[in-house]
Amino acid sequence: MIAFIVRRLIQAVVVLVVVAFIAFLLFQYVGDPVVFLLGQDASPQQIRELRSALGLDQPFFVQFWHFLGNAAQGEFGLSLRQGAKVSRLIAERFPATFELAVVAALLALLLGVPLGVYTALRRGTAASQGVMTLSLLGVSLPPFLIGILLILVFSVTLGWAPSFGRGETVQVGWWSTGLLTLDGWHHLVLPAITLAAFQLALILRLVRAEMLEVLRTDYIKFARARGLPDRAVHFGHALKNTLVPVMTVIGLQLGQLIAFSIITETVFQWPGMGLLFIQAVTFADIPMMAAYLCLIALIFVVINLVVDLLYFAVDPRLRVATAGGH
Amino acid sequence: MKAVLSRWFDGDVGYSFRTSPVAMLAAAIAFVCIFCAAFAELVAPHDPFDLVTLELGHARLKPSLEAHAMPNPQDAPRHYYLGTDDQGRDILSTIMYGARISLVVGLVSVLLSMLIGVGLGLLAGFRGGWIDGFLMRLCDVMLSFPPILVALLIAGVGRALFPNAHTSVAFGVLILAITLTGWVQYARTVRGSTLVERHKEYVQAARVTGVAPLRIMLRHVLPNVTGPVMVLATVQVATAIITEATLSFLGVGVPPTSPSLGTLIQVGNNYLFSGEWWITVFPAVMLILIVLSVNLLGDWLRDALNPKLR
Amino acid sequence: MTVVAGSPHPSPLPQAGEGAKLASAPPLVQAHDLAKTFDVSVPWLNRVLERRPRQLLHAVDGVGFEIARGQTLALVGESGCGKSTVARLLVGLYEPTRGGFTFDGQDAHAAFRTPEGRKLRRRIQMIFQDPYASLNPRWRVEDIVAEPLKEHGLIAGAADRRTRVGELLASVGLSPQDMVRYPHQFSGGQRQRISIARALATHPEFLVCDEPTSALDVSVQAQVLNIMKDLQRQRGLTYLFISHNLAVVRHVSDQVGVMYLGRIVELAGKHQLFGQPQHPYTRMLLDAIPKMHETGRARTAVQGEVPNPLNPPGGCTFNPRCPHANERCRVERPALLEIRGVRVACHAVEEGRI
Amino acid sequence: MTLLQVQDLVVEFPTRRGTLRALDRISFEIAPGEILGVVGESGAGKSLTGAAIIGLLEPPGRIASGQVVLEGERIDDLPPAHLRHIRGRKIGAIFQDPLTSLNPLYTIGRQLVETIQAHLPVDNAEARRRAVSLLEDTGIPAAAERIDHFPHQFSGGMRQRVVIALALAAEPRLIVADEPTTALDVSIQAQIIQLLKRLCRDRGAAVMLITHDMGVIAETCDRVAVMYAGRIAEIGPVHEVIHQPAHPYTLGLMASIPDMEGERERLNQIDGAMPRLNAIPPGCAYHPRCPRAFGRCDRQRPELLHAGATQAACWLHDANAELAA
Amino acid sequence: QTVRIANQGDALSMDPHSLNESLQLSVDGNVYEPLVGRNKDLSLAPILATSWKQTSPTVWRFELRKNVQFHDGKPFTADDVLFSFARTQAEGSDMKSYTNDIKEVRKVNDHAIEIETKSPFPILPDVISLVYIMSKKWCEENQATRPVDRRKGIENAASFRANGTGPYRLRERQPNVRTTFVRNGAYWGKIDGNAQEVIFTPIGNDATRVAALLSGEVDVMEPVPVQDIDRVNGSPNAKVMVGPELRTIFLGMDQSRNELLYSSVKGKNPFKDKRVRQAFYQAIDIDGIQKTVMRGASKPTGLMVGPGINGFDANLNKRLPYDPEGAKKLLADAGYPGGFEVTMNCPNDRYVNDARICQAVAANLARIGVKINLAAETKGTYFPKILRRDTSFYMLGWTPGTYDAHNALNALMACPDDKGTGQFNLGSYCSQKLDQLTRQIQSETDKAKRSAMIQEAFKVHSDDIGHLPLHQQSLAWGVAKKVDMVQLADNFMPFKWITVKK
Ligand SMILES: Nc1ncnc2c1ncn2[C@@H]1O[C@H](COP(=O)(O)OP(=O)(O)OP(=O)(O)O)[C@@H](O)[C@H]1O
Ligand SMILES: Nc1ncnc2c1ncn2[C@@H]1O[C@H](COP(=O)(O)OP(=O)(O)OP(=O)(O)O)[C@@H](O)[C@H]1O
Ligand SMILES: [Mg+2]
Ligand SMILES: [Mg+2]
């Protein structure tokens, strides 16, 4: 198992390098930072100078190599647009995104899983049909529309929740948290719902589908025959057997939440990484994008590693399969 | 052909279709949507993609049953049942034409990513070892890129290769971009289930029979891991349609003169506060209908394909 | 027709009536020193934290036998002694940890790995112990039984194949109309029959039967056993037959191997074995057979504790339960020796103590 | 006083091509401390009877009519919440398929402890102690160690014993044992049988033992029911049913048992196959295969009739009618 | 009184020399001040310089204001001015273009300086109105003597902190989240407004920004999307201040290549033909666009600069009439009776309703038979593309940074060379006459003569139909009814003119 983890860590490094490589490839197509760096009155001479000063005129592989060298030392340079350390900017923004993503994920999980179980158990009843249909709204309404509608209803019309920003935050070390203030939670509600809507629907539907399969198995029947309480049968035995696919998807979705909450963050002006990233894209802020993509890659690598380890934790059959070597 | 159809209709799947009102309703909705999209030229009252007929003066009209006089007296007055958008396009017609774009992009890209993802996921889960490792790390890499960036990359390359083919390449770019970022979910999900499934005895029985691994994967394991795939796929259709809108906005998709459903919603979104709700609401309803029917059909098909649920 | 051993081409099916065994012909199936070890350790982290050692389970530990063409070798023994594992080794589902087996003169495990292995697969089939798990829950019976036919291209037309599947089903006492149903719609015994029909579909030469009739009622069991015997007579089929039902074993087998904790302790012709069992375990086993005609009477079960396969006793693994065990039995592992015309692994028998 | 009474039980599967009647008016009863053997052709409906008794028919299967009465209380129409207290506690069930009956994700210990605690107010340590002793009772070697293993790490026979241990965990009054010893070698089989018998003797528990092994039936049961095509063909004391079967089917069944003495090239078999559920012939279901069928057998369905010490559903034993030649 | 202001974007840095972007300069302008600033009508105002005069064609003398203190209490002197001008020329500065024409800045005494330009430079005071003065001492103490240099990867204290002479001081800065300013109690001048504290927040999303204003979470926001102007005006507690903006939106055509890159016409360039350009011009229904797309929030224009720019002449600001029929004829005359196909590039997140304007133009052109393939994209990819001149037909907006017509002539209309002239003349319109005039305007110091030359140059351009001017978009600020403020046409928002009613 330790060999497994070590192997995965080595692979993770490869993944990061590949991501960085592709990221660099991409930058030729997302725009030219120099155009945005210099004002409209800059002379061609200035543009040429800046280009060479930034090393943008060097061959692709030289640029990439420089980037790797610096990145290996945890140095991603300055944001071209903001003129501040990329690492610091990301560190500043990470807590906001992370808190939003985690709250949204919890919301999606805590509602999605039980509702999924419920709709699977009460297949065909009006209530579960209703839940299923509602969940379709979650997957078919684009998040920007959900966000705007929420704002329209709850901020503008009712005035219950603020429409933008993170509210009051408290600094805990380098981490700024909005979870310790009432105002912070107040600001969190709408974005979290917006972000969770899709995940919630997906998890709900997935759990339901898997539950329906598992509920038909012999061991569930046998568990019932032993007179186990329904809760134990449904949540202990059935739910756990749905976990392999559900975990995979949840893992992926959590990654997606952290990585690509761009739209929600834009709508609610949530000062997170997604907002940072979309700005970086609009202004072709290469160091920022590179660092961001590497961070996302890292998040996914970690999440996927955890999911794979959880596979083992959840399903002993897989454990033996890998340990015994096939 | 007829025989095949009738066999299918008499078969289990056909039977469960005939006895499921939900499935029939969903199919009816899907049929109407697809029909309107495919034959928009015939069904739609106007051709919103034909710029000549657009009347800027008719922009943002409310939905109504009354006809509007054209500014040029020689033209016939027009009906805008669902109102018009900011360019004077008839929403009803635009929905039909736009649905064509959205459906093609949504369905094709989901199908493609499903094919790729399920294929690679099966391979990874079934073969294990370095193939598994490699494919899953590939997933890690792909996951790190938002579709937006991938689309920009592909569009860049595409334009470099075919500098003069903007609109025709656009579709390809969209589909490719959504596919490339979409297959990962399927791959990882299928792989997870395959890991469990490949140790079951029926797989071993097939091995003993001498069935080639590829066939075992496709014929034995695949049907037993499709459950989550169906859920994902049906849900992803909507996501793909919305992603298409975002990409089009960034300039790598279809031009704004031929808006897709997603684009309409996105454009209309700007008019929510100013009270022109119909620009966004009707396309959104259409999108919901499409997604609803796809999901209901998907749910039904999943149950219908599962012999134990019959 | 004579089958030339080691012929590079797989021999065609022997025609009806020609399955008579040739004393001089080398055996069709030869297993030598087969062993399979499973790693059943707890997860690495727990092992480290709880300081538990790595645990290896020697499910099969040096099993050797041969079966001549047209013969039946039965394996009996306590459950968990490794019979199914042997069966799985023979059909190539497990890679042996040690040893190997030759089929018709060629190294089967090497062959399984090559494309040629597919041909071999057709000639070796298996009936699984657990009928339900071995049937794909999403397939109709028709497809399940037809799969080997399709896979080996035995019957081309779909209609012909259906007919053949119908015949196969009928031959195990199912109705051809059952073709359209799915495994979960059958009773346990019916599933077992489906699995038998599938195994018979390719006309295999060697059939590994892991408790093929245990889920069948006696009348269907009689039908199935009769079919198996008929096939053997007509086509010279070779069987490895695993069963707990000694009456059935006695009926079908030519040779019987008695396994105990991963090893063969006695290997003899059926008449010797049932007539004069040598190994103390065999004797106990035979005593434990329920007697049909003495209703309500308890039989004598094998005495003593069933040993732990993870931590088998030293020397002869049977020694803790053996009435004849002495010091040697506790330290020295007996080899399988030819004694009094049978092969038996027992110091007591070797020394003539019993 | 009977423990379990099954009356005119009918189980049906509605399918798209008509309704299948898998159990057709089954009636029998079991007294406390009694072991009732159930034998019959595979597919005859033995497992379904067991499943119907504990209320775990798989949909779309359903009890169409008849009733199941346990200790004077009707249980076939109880709501699920009530049933739960009966299952495991009053009726223990052992299913036919050991490999799939165990949850692959939990250690057998956890499944045992959970079951014990669902019914008995004991703490973890006590539950675990009981679990180990249950496993020992069923003859699992090194039970204390193997309790923490997962189902897939056991051989088929051992899994079967685990399933038995689970069914016995809460000391039920009635045990529905569906082929509990099929996967076991004779010596373990003997242990299990002894265990079941001991339960009956010591605690007055009753057992409904479904099996194909006539040796086991002979050794264990007090009475036997023989089923055929969803109906009871014959029911009576074990000795009589085995040695003087009254129903031609039972007769054929007994004849096809391979025995330890004689040497036969072929076993006796009953030719033909049991009818499919959708094509059960009118009258006696067995008549197409019956060597002694006569006039009314293909028209009128025989009810259970007294035939010596046993009861058989066969017109041969109709005292009121003349035997046809 | 606290005023909460929301804007589309954020000032990216507090360093006034790091980026030449109007939002950043506008925000920083509350903390830092130039020598010469602007009044409410954009006329020049003495700020840190009390007066200035041209002592020779190339030398200007500025008298500096006395008794001015930086926020940290240090006095403001000529050294700070010298330092700041030097700083704008340092590595990493984006403000170089404003001081490029300066040869030397000399200290006369503590409160007077002289600026010598490389050549006669009549509009120097206009040009330096965005050069903010920093404290030399403070910059030295904080290692901020140069603007942050992205190339070196070194951060800079001046990005996050500020020490100016302005009416507001920086209290707290969270980039892209919130920046808080408080009134400078020791300000040298009078502050008209009464805002004690200003909280500045970026809100990128249009709808969210509107929502924030409507729900009262902000008091001022900018810009209001044109379609929401009515809604805001209709709300009980907010209104929209609409005013002209300096930026002119126009379309450009590739007039230099012999074959267009993206067109169905092969072998020749239709845009080289004035008739085609005129046909395009007259096909555009600018009033329809103004009414429908811009909802009235724009001012159609016939010139490439708007009112408020030095050199603008209302008499010249006449458009050719909208005339689709005539346009069709012109096209036919030019040899395209059936029209042709051309790709139009357009941004979709840069100017007010940019992509929608393009769509409307495309629809207009469709009426005369020209098929437009509209490629609208985000500014991130759009600008690099058109700046490569990889376009046949494009949209651009321009505000002359110097508030002077010469800037527009030189950047947009003069023949491109590799020294920066005509850098944004992306269709390479070329006119000898105009080029010559532009060079003369550059150094002509006589006001009247200069104006005449500018007008002549504009006339040349209009007659050639070098570009297709569309309109000046309007400023639209959403303001709570309790707030009074001054709207400047250059879209700067000085806090000192904000008053909150009780
Ligand atoms: N879901 C189902 N749909 C249709 N028929 C079914 C279904 N489940 C079981 N049956 C039928 O019901 C009959 C009785 O099945 P049951 O499992 O009770 O047999 P059994 O007597 O236990 O046989 P065995 O000894 O082989 O286990 C069988 O003929 C079977 O085909
Ligand atoms: N995949 C596996 N992983 C770990 N241990 C295994 C595995 N398969 C079998 N074993 C162990 O190997 C031993 C032999 O198992 P096997 O299935 O061969 O027994 P068997 O003789 O067939 O028993 P039965 O008659 O009960 O089926 C058992 O102790 C079992 O627990
Ligand atoms: Mg076995
Ligand atoms: Mg059964």
Side-chain angles (χ1 to χ4, degrees), chain A residues 11-223:
Chain A
Q11 291 172 350
V13 174
V14 179
V15 166
L16 290 182
V17 171
V18 174
V19 166
F21 182 81
I22 299 180
F24 258 78
L25 265 182
L26 277 174
F27 296 148
Q28 311 184 13
Y29 301 105
V30 292
D32 184 351
V34 175
V35 173
F36 297 98
L37 274 181
L38 294 174
Q40 56 181 25
D41 297 319
S43 69
Q45 171 66 17
Q46 273 177 304
I47 292 179
R48 269 194 300 276
E49 273 170 16
L50 179 59
R51 198 180 289 280
S52 81
L54 288 176
L56 293 175
D57 55 348
Q58 284 170 334
F60 170 75
F61 280 99
V62 177
Q63 291 187 42
F64 180 58
W65 182 247
H66 278 291
F67 170 79
L68 274 193
N70 289 334
Q73 299 158 29
E75 188 56 66
F76 289 95
L78 285 201
S79 154
L80 295 183
R81 173 111 174 116
Q82 315 223 15
K85 272 223 168 65
V86 164
S87 42
R88 192 171 57 82
L89 285 173
I90 289 187
E92 242 168 48
R93 297 303 195 83
F94 184 75
T97 295
F98 186 78
E99 286 180 0
L100 176 61
V102 166
V103 171
L106 283 181
L107 196 67
L109 270 182
L110 294 184
L111 283 176
V113 172
L115 280 177
V117 174
Y118 174 83
T119 47
L121 293 177
R122 302 266 181 285
R123 200 158 86 105
T125 63
S128 81
Q129 297 277 7
V131 171
M132 291 299 290
T133 315
L134 261 183
S135 78
L136 282 180
L137 287 187
V139 297
S140 54
L141 283 184
F144 54 82
L145 189 58
I146 298 183
I148 295 294
L149 287 177
L150 287 179
I151 289 181
L152 194 58
V153 174
F154 291 102
S155 306
V156 177
T157 311
L158 298 173
W160 287 355
S163 56
F164 73 94
R166 224 183 146 196
E168 230 176 277
T169 55
V170 176
Q171 208 70 26
V172 181
W174 63 273
W175 187 279
S176 75
T177 173
L179 300 182
L180 294 180
T181 64
L182 200 61
D183 191 45
W185 279 101
H186 207 181
H187 280 80
L188 188 60
V189 178
L190 294 187
I193 292 178
T194 310
L195 196 53
F198 177 81
Q199 322 291 335
L200 171 75
L202 182 61
I203 290 175
L204 185 159
R205 301 185 76 81
L206 196 68
V207 168
R208 171 181 178 270
E210 286 297 298
M211 280 293 283
L212 283 180
E213 303 248 316
V214 172
L215 283 176
R216 292 284 173 148
T217 55
D218 279 0
Y219 49 82
I220 294 302
K221 199 170 141 194
F222 188 50

Side-chain angles (χ1 to χ4, degrees), chain C residues 83-84 129 210-211, chain D residues 156:
Chain C
K83 303 182 296 296
S84 298
Q129 180 171 12
D210 196 352
E211 310 198 22

Side-chain angles (χ1 to χ4, degrees), chain C residues 245-251 270-271 274-275 286-287 289-294, chain D residues 243 257-265 267:
Chain C
N245 190 327
L246 292 173
V248 170
V249 166
R250 190 179 125 100
H251 176 72
K270 97 172 141 181
H271 295 292
F274 283 99
L286 292 185
D287 281 345
I289 299 173
K291 306 287 181 309
M292 254 256 0
H293 299 286
E294 298 157 36
Chain D
H243 295 292
I257 302 170
D259 59 39
M260 289 304 289
E261 276 81 43
E263 185 77 11
R264 281 180 294 182
E265 203 24 47
L267 295 169

